[in-house]
Amino acid sequence: MKDTVFILNTTRNSTVEFAASELAGYLERGGITACQVEKTFSEEFLSMIRLGFMPASEGEDREMEDAYTIDITDLHGIIKGTNARSILSGCYRFLREIGYAFLRPDLAGERIPGEIRPHEIHVSEKAAYKYRGICIEGAVSFENIIRMVRWMPKAGFNTYFTQFLTPYEFFKTWYEHQYNPDYGDDSVPEPKDVDRFVEEILVPEMKKRGILWQAAGHGFQTETFGMRGLGWDVQEDVSGLRTEWMAEIGGIRGLFHGIPMNTNLCYSKQEVRLAFAGHVAAYCRKHPGLDLLHVWLADDGNNSCECEECKKKLPSDWYIELLNSIDSELTKEKIAVKIVFLAYFDLLWPPKKEVLHNPDRFVFMFAPITRSYRKALMVSGEDKDLHYERNKNQFPASAQENMQYAQAWKEYFKKDSFIYDYHYMWNHFQDWGDYYSAKVLYEDIAVLKKNGFDGYVSCQQTRVFAPSGFGMYVMGRCLWGCDKTFEELWDEYFTALYGDRSGQIKEYAKLLSEYSYWKQPEDDHMVQDARAAADLEKALNILEKYIPVFEEYEKASDSADQTRWKYLLYSSKAAWHYCIMLKYKREGKDKKAVEAYRIMKEFLREKESKWQEGMDLYWFIKKYDSLLL
């Protein structure tokens, strides 16, 4: 096998040019001399990898349906894709086939083979799902987001969602360091700084890779009544706001519990719908690079308008009228962007009267935010009457009941759709081994197609790569399409990450997940339970056995990936504090639980900089302060 390869790209496409540079760069890191060329030469004398487009198939949506073909023997052959993004994905897939791995967003999470061995690679695949995405969430730095976006195509993802009109909240909560004021003296960016970062840095990085840009969601309704929707902060002063356009609840029009982001509008008023549509059109004009625009109503539930006109139809009927007004305005302005609309809280009940006039513009999103993560989604929902009672609803908890709402919406709208789910938003704070959480995720993705969905966008914290990052590996691999069992992925990932130490670390992670999470009551309120306390004692025994081992690994390691040991060590120590705190709660010793939690917070604050991308301290403390203090 030759140790020099020429990478031929004649497409004149910027994403394919980037794919060629990525392939060349990684091959050079593996000891191969790689030259990028735009003109062919006699392949009799050279090893050459040609990048290009696959022939079009009848009825194929080439920009959305990702597929690639790889035929390469000893650095000689072709990588073709349905679109430029697929060619880039094909390059990363080829690299994985010859020994590379992309386990985490940081560079230390990559695995580069010491040498490229002789190989014969023949792969022809189409992505299992059209929408394979991640949504910005958690407390994040600008660097966190850039690393995530640069990693996503390597892991199998194709779309990123910058939630809100300006995703300021997520950066503000990091740079303020509200729960860890001793972290540093970072300046807190202003909304205009976040806008510039998104428009001038983040989106160009996404476009370079062919990543589909999704944006907005909550916030248009606050713009409509007169203020920017930047987060969930409480606002007492309503002067200057159009309170007459806000939802009437209990006979009063005003901010819902004082939170603008959670405040709905009186959608039966045509002037409200037209004003809302005007704000959507203005946002689209300002952001012509958008691929999918999310148009949501207020956050939270049981906050729909109770005026006599609004009560004549379901909230979802008024939502459809609003969407039709938006479509009409965008059509008039010749703006072709796709609109994502959702079923969420009060919108779980599908319309009974209104229909979308131009369904081809829309993509449906189902967001089961109140679901349980102890059981995977079913192929069909429970047989239950979906009775709606304005502002007095109990939202579904079981995965099965959630799927009944999803299927009702799927009967209403039969075009593209995806699930927007929350596996790594809050639930992972209970599962310190990340075995059973990842297993439910694996099972959920496996039935998406049977449920009629075209993909999954993960509403999750960005900093979720401790203890191992396994759940993110499962997400990316399974959304692209994977015929491996869950246990095979478990073995594959841990072997790539930990090498010959993977066996004992798998044992540790699975047992910890079992006793500290899976065998615990699901209720977040940490109720007294003697059996659960006994299981936490078992979890503590596991931690006390393995923490000294991990300390030795972290001290002795001279590998390029010291991060894997830091994540494992600090996660295990945090888990020890967590299990102590939870055990006291299970034993009914509330004062001792609060003291154990105080000590845990001190540990997390002291060590945050050591494993910043491993765990989101802000959201952990925000959640458990509300439960314990």
Side-chain angles (χ1 to χ4, degrees), residues 192-225:
K192 65 181 181 181
D193 300 315
V194 174
D195 280 334
R196 286 195 64 190
F197 169 75
V198 171
E199 295 165 12
E200 299 175 17
I201 298 177
L202 180 60
V203 170
E205 287 291 318
M206 292 165 61
K207 294 297 182 181
K208 182 193 299 183
R209 292 164 173 79
I211 295 173
L212 299 168
W213 179 26
Q214 305 188 36
H218 299 305
F220 286 120
Q221 94 283 2
T222 67
E223 297 272 342
T224 303
F225 62 63

Side-chain angles (χ1 to χ4, degrees), residues 40 123 208 210-211 221 282 287 297 431 435 455 477 497 503 520 534 547 578 584 627:
T40 189
V123 177
K208 182 193 299 183
I211 295 173
Q221 94 283 2
H287 302 95
L297 305 186
D431 186 357
Y435 176 86
R477 287 293 304 275
L497 186 58
Q520 295 297 307
I547 286 174
Y578 172 86
Y584 281 137
L627 294 172

Side-chain angles (χ1 to χ4, degrees), residues 556-580:
S557 176
D558 59 357
S559 70
D561 189 8
Q562 187 78 353
T563 302
R564 59 182 167 168
W565 304 121
K566 288 182 179 180
Y567 283 5
L568 194 59
L569 176 61
Y570 294 124
S571 173
S572 64
K573 289 186 175 184
W576 185 86
H577 287 288
Y578 172 86
C579 290
I580 290 286

Side-chain angles (χ1 to χ4, degrees), residues 48 182 258 264 303 340 377 399 504 521 535 591:
M48 181 173 290
D182 293 331
N264 264 314
N303 53 356
V340 179
L377 299 173
Q504 64 176 168
D535 283 330
K591 288 184 179 179

Side-chain angles (χ1 to χ4, degrees), residues 467-575:
S468 65
F470 175 60
M472 295 305 298
Y473 185 73
V474 168
M475 191 184 295
R477 287 293 304 275
C478 293
L479 285 174
W480 174 267
C482 179
D483 58 4
K484 292 181 182 290
T485 66
F486 177 77
E487 291 296 332
E488 287 171 338
L489 287 177
W490 177 249
D491 292 341
E492 178 180 89
Y493 184 78
F494 276 71
T495 299
L497 186 58
Y498 299 113
D500 58 6
R501 292 168 173 167
S502 64
Q504 64 176 168
I505 297 173
K506 283 190 299 178
E507 178 187 54
Y508 155 81
K510 186 174 181 180
L511 287 172
L512 182 60
S513 183
E514 178 180 356
Y515 291 119
S516 70
Y517 170 62
W518 198 248
K519 288 189 172 182
Q520 295 297 307
E522 184 175 5
D523 193 317
D524 259 346
H525 294 92
M526 300 180 284
V527 296
Q528 190 170 341
D529 187 311
R531 182 201 57 78
D535 283 330
L536 287 165
E537 185 64 35
K538 294 176 184 178
L540 287 165
N541 290 337
I542 292 162
L543 288 160
E544 287 164 6
K545 172 184 175 181
Y546 278 100
I547 286 174
V549 176
F550 299 156
E551 286 176 331
E552 288 302 313
Y553 289 167
E554 198 266 342
K555 288 177 185 176
S557 176
D558 59 357
S559 70
D561 189 8
Q562 187 78 353
T563 302
R564 59 182 167 168
W565 304 121
K566 288 182 179 180
Y567 283 5
L568 194 59
L569 176 61
Y570 294 124
S571 173
S572 64
K573 289 186 175 184

Side-chain angles (χ1 to χ4, degrees), residues 30-271:
I32 299 296
T33 301
C35 305
Q36 299 175 62
V37 295
E38 296 181 357
K39 294 182 179 180
T40 189
F41 186 71
S42 175
E43 298 181 23
E44 178 183 355
F45 305 108
L46 304 173
S47 288
M48 181 173 290
I49 298 175
R50 288 171 287 137
L51 308 182
F53 294 108
M54 296 166 61
S57 300
E58 186 175 349
E60 182 180 52
D61 184 355
R62 291 181 67 82
E63 287 307 309
M64 291 298 299
E65 296 180 7
D66 296 337
Y68 51 64
T69 294
I70 305 168
D71 283 299
I72 298 177
T73 299
D74 295 342
L75 299 176
H76 187 82
I78 62 167
I79 299 174
K80 291 185 177 181
T82 50
N83 52 49
R85 177 177 60 250
S86 295
I87 295 172
L88 176 61
S89 298
C91 290
Y92 292 134
R93 174 61 182 275
F94 168 65
L95 290 169
R96 291 203 309 271
E97 291 288 332
I98 60 173
Y100 292 73
F102 308 100
L103 306 177
R104 297 189 311 268
D106 58 291
L107 291 178
E110 297 182 347
R111 297 293 181 268
I112 310 297
E115 64 173 324
I116 308 300
R117 299 179 181 275
H119 52 268
E120 187 173 342
I121 311 298
H122 304 290
V123 177
S124 184
E125 288 185 351
K126 180 179 178 180
Y129 296 106
K130 189 182 293 188
Y131 303 93
R132 310 182 305 279
I134 295 172
C135 172
I136 188 172
E137 264 291 358
V140 296
S141 71
F142 296 124
E143 294 86 353
N144 293 149
I145 297 304
I146 286 295
R147 280 197 292 267
M148 176 67 88
V149 164
R150 289 164 65 101
W151 171 78
M152 284 174 58
K154 301 170 185 176
F157 298 96
N158 72 338
T159 181
Y160 190 70
F161 177 19
T162 57
Q163 188 182 188
F164 295 174
L165 281 65
T166 296
Y168 176 67
E169 173 76 9
F170 314 106
F171 297 100
K172 180 194 74 170
T173 49
W174 168 251
Y175 288 104
E176 280 185 344
H177 302 299
Q178 176 182 344
Y179 295 123
N180 194 8
D182 293 331
Y183 184 91
D185 56 355
D186 288 331
S187 298
V188 179
E190 296 180 10
K192 65 181 181 181
D193 300 315
V194 174
D195 280 334
R196 286 195 64 190
F197 169 75
V198 171
E199 295 165 12
E200 299 175 17
I201 298 177
L202 180 60
V203 170
E205 287 291 318
M206 292 165 61
K207 294 297 182 181
K208 182 193 299 183
R209 292 164 173 79
I211 295 173
L212 299 168
W213 179 26
Q214 305 188 36
H218 299 305
F220 286 120
Q221 94 283 2
T222 67
E223 297 272 342
T224 303
F225 62 63
M227 68 174 295
R228 294 185 75 178
L230 296 173
W232 293 272
D233 295 334
V234 172
Q235 170 107 357
E236 295 181 358
D237 183 11
V238 296
S239 60
L241 303 182
R242 302 206 63 162
T243 54
E244 74 276 14
W245 283 5
M246 296 177 186
E248 178 187 317
I249 299 176
I252 299 171
R253 295 188 185 273
L255 297 175
F256 185 70
H257 296 160
I259 302 174
M261 191 65 80
N262 295 354
T263 301
N264 264 314
L265 300 175
C266 183
Y267 293 109
S268 63
K269 294 181 176 180
Q270 185 179 23
E271 64 268 29

